[in-house]
Amino acid sequence: MADGIKTKIGFVSGGASSMPHYNSFLPIVPKEIEIDFQGLQLYGKSLYEIADKKEIILQRVKDLSLIENWSGVIVTAAPTEVLNPGLYDALQEALAVPFTTALHACVAALRVYTAPKVLLLTPFDARLNDLIVAHLAKAGVTAIAPHSFDELAVPKRMTPEEVFELTKKNLAAVGKVDAIYFQGAVLDPIKALDKIESELKATVIASNPAMLWYVLSKLGLKYPVNGYGRLLREWPALS
């Protein structure tokens, strides 16, 4: 890119364009990258409102990509994908620029680290966790999801220490896994990634860092950074 012109990445949520956990995402974004947060406003109180909206999501992401002149696209949130079967393939046909969904980027990262069995931690209810587990199984990843919230509402924000303790407790309960996989950035692990990996001796893949790593790697860009876990520190090549 020419001096002073940033690579612009669309960051599309099925809900609002602004959520509190985006603030912890911004520090991992390289200064050469501009993140354009866009919300489709397709759900309010319940994530299940995003179900059966594939054609709407597809058209709006395609239009935004052209209007905003994005170099790459991130379509966030596993619920958006598992409640709209076939979304990834449809996006692949519709978009002319590199893109990823949360699940696709995380599976790619797990493959890089040869992690076919994972502890899955989310802010979702058991039904949605089951849909994610089934989706991952088709991609060759066995996910164990021992923890779920009783109601599918956005849970209260957890501190990095609370995220660490939740992880430690659930890792002890499930036994040996190849990695820990955080899906759903409301259960925000970014500030706890280094501590989890060093103290619990585990590789951690979290959705926001994985999506950023994947789409920038697809663009031929590499921005390794310390302090946010192994994936961003090592910035491995896509397999």
Side-chain angles (χ1 to χ4, degrees):
M1 303 295 281
D3 288 348
I5 299 177
K6 293 186 175 185
T7 301
K8 190 176 182 183
I9 305 296
F11 188 96
V12 184
S13 163
S17 60
S18 177
M19 292 187 181
H21 62 270
Y22 292 175
N23 292 331
S24 66
F25 175 59
L26 287 172
I28 72 174
V29 177
K31 66 181 186 300
E32 296 87 354
I33 305 300
E34 177 188 349
I35 299 293
D36 183 6
F37 293 103
Q38 295 280 349
L40 303 182
Q41 309 291 341
L42 295 176
Y43 70 83
K45 290 184 178 180
S46 171
L47 284 168
Y48 287 113
E49 293 168 24
I50 197 76
D52 304 319
K53 302 264 178 42
K54 182 172 74 173
E55 296 307 321
I56 298 171
I57 296 165
L58 198 63
Q59 191 60 55
R60 290 177 65 180
V61 172
K62 184 179 178 179
D63 291 347
L64 280 166
S65 175
L66 295 170
I67 293 165
E68 302 297 338
N69 196 28
W70 291 336
S71 297
V73 182
I74 291 170
V75 178
T76 70
T80 299
E81 189 165 2
V82 297
L83 294 173
N84 291 279
L87 179 63
Y88 181 86
D89 290 341
L91 287 167
Q92 195 163 35
E93 287 187 21
L95 296 175
V97 296
F99 80 98
T100 194
T101 59
L103 288 165
H104 187 82
C106 290
V107 167
L110 292 169
R111 285 176 177 157
V112 164
Y113 288 114
T114 317
K117 183 180 179 183
V118 301
L119 164 64
L120 174 67
L121 294 174
T122 81
F124 309 135
D125 68 357
R127 176 187 161 200
L128 201 42
N129 277 353
D130 287 345
L131 289 172
I132 294 170
V133 168
H135 183 101
L136 292 171
K138 291 177 183 176
V141 176
T142 300
I144 304 168
H147 177 87
S148 60
F149 289 84
D150 292 333
E151 295 180 14
L152 187 53
V154 175
K156 72 178 180 68
R157 299 272 296 148
M158 298 180 78
T159 66
E161 189 58 37
E162 286 173 326
V163 173
F164 176 82
E165 291 302 327
L166 179 76
T167 308
K168 183 178 179 181
K169 174 185 171 184
N170 282 280
L171 187 61
V174 302
K176 182 169 173 50
V177 291
D178 302 305
I180 299 165
Y181 171 12
F182 284 93
Q183 180 57 64
V186 173
L187 181 61
D188 186 5
I190 288 179
K191 291 180 180 177
L193 290 176
D194 271 1
K195 182 176 182 180
I196 292 168
E197 289 190 326
S198 63
E199 295 194 18
L200 302 183
K201 310 298 182 200
T203 295
V204 180
I205 301 302
S207 53
N208 273 348
M211 290 187 294
L212 185 70
W213 159 80
Y214 183 93
V215 81
L216 294 184
S217 295
K218 277 290 186 182
L219 288 164
L221 302 172
K222 188 172 183 176
Y223 296 100
V225 60
N226 290 323
Y228 302 102
R230 181 181 180 188
L231 181 67
L232 294 190
R233 182 176 66 251
E234 296 178 351
W235 203 284
L238 286 168
S239 58

